[in-house]
Amino acid sequence: MSEVVFSTVHGSRLYGFAHEGSDHDVFVVTDSHSRRVKHTITPDGIDTTEIGIWRFLQLALSGSHQSVEAVFSPVKVWGPAGDRYRSLIAGIQVGGPEVFDKYERTIRKFCYGDYKKRRHAARLYVNLIQLRRRSSITPALDPELISFCDIVASTLSGDDLARELDVYKPKEASA
């Protein structure tokens, strides 16, 4: 049986976007060597993602934003296996062209969605700037950045939002 390395609140409650109707997302990293990610939702609405340590590290270092957010979560609760991995996780730096490209693709895709996706595009843009500057992020946004994300998502969409977030790529003209 695998032991918990750490767990953290995740999603809107981590970012600062939660409202009365927000679900409760939890991200759990275990010492399992399984590559499978387990996703469960309990009857009381707790949405849990459980992942083994090596798959988690692979996803984080390749720029999977959910894993990157968990790496840098300031509200981790360390479990029984935490001491074996704490220094490894604390030393993680995320960056490089592949990571930045993955973030840009996700931001661009979210620019064309509903308000919630556009707000996530703005949030991921903030995180991308942080990754480029310091190879880490602060997933829990301060009130000023939450306001920025809300305003941008409320006033811009599609190509306009992609241009504002500096991820716009015009389609190639056909010959």
Side-chain angles (χ1 to χ4, degrees):
M1 177 112 181
S2 58
E3 292 185 316
V4 171
V5 174
F6 74 86
S7 63
T8 183
V9 63
H10 208 248
S12 63
R13 295 182 189 277
L14 175 61
Y15 317 138
F17 290 167
H19 53 79
E20 189 178 307
S22 293
D23 60 355
H24 294 268
D25 297 306
V26 179
F27 197 96
V28 179
V29 176
T30 70
D31 64 357
S32 167
H33 290 244
S34 173
R35 296 190 47 78
R36 187 175 155 261
V37 178
K38 183 179 173 186
H39 185 245
T40 58
I41 301 175
T42 62
D44 58 349
I46 302 197
D47 187 340
T48 303
T49 299
E50 184 177 318
I51 187 170
I53 184 69
W54 303 116
R55 180 69 175 146
F56 165 70
L57 292 171
Q58 177 188 38
L59 290 172
L61 293 171
S62 71
S64 169
H65 66 90
Q66 297 93 341
S67 295
V68 173
E69 292 152 11
V71 165
F72 297 110
S73 170
V75 292
K76 283 187 204 72
V77 176
W78 294 95
D83 286 344
R84 293 193 308 250
Y85 300 99
R86 190 186 305 240
S87 62
L88 174 66
I89 292 167
I92 289 177
Q93 294 187 332
V94 179
E98 295 87 12
V99 169
F100 303 150
D101 287 346
K102 186 179 282 189
Y103 264 75
E104 288 175 359
R105 283 191 311 272
T106 305
I107 293 165
R108 194 167 32 256
K109 180 175 133 186
F110 285 3
C111 285
Y112 298 88
D114 61 11
Y115 168 79
K116 185 176 175 182
K117 286 198 180 218
R118 294 191 313 267
R119 185 170 60 169
H120 282 301
R123 175 185 62 77
L124 290 169
Y125 169 74
V126 168
N127 292 156
L128 176 58
I129 291 170
Q130 294 169 340
L131 286 174
R132 284 183 169 144
R133 288 183 181 161
R134 62 176 198 250
S135 301
S136 68
I137 67 167
T138 305
L141 302 178
D142 64 34
E144 186 176 314
L145 289 174
I146 292 170
S147 179
F148 163 78
C149 293
D150 286 337
I151 291 168
V152 167
S154 296
T155 58
L156 298 171
S157 65
D159 290 351
D160 293 333
L161 180 55
R163 279 188 197 92
E164 180 67 24
L165 301 181
D166 199 25
V167 293
Y168 179 71
K169 301 262 180 169
K171 296 193 188 245
E172 298 279 334
S174 18

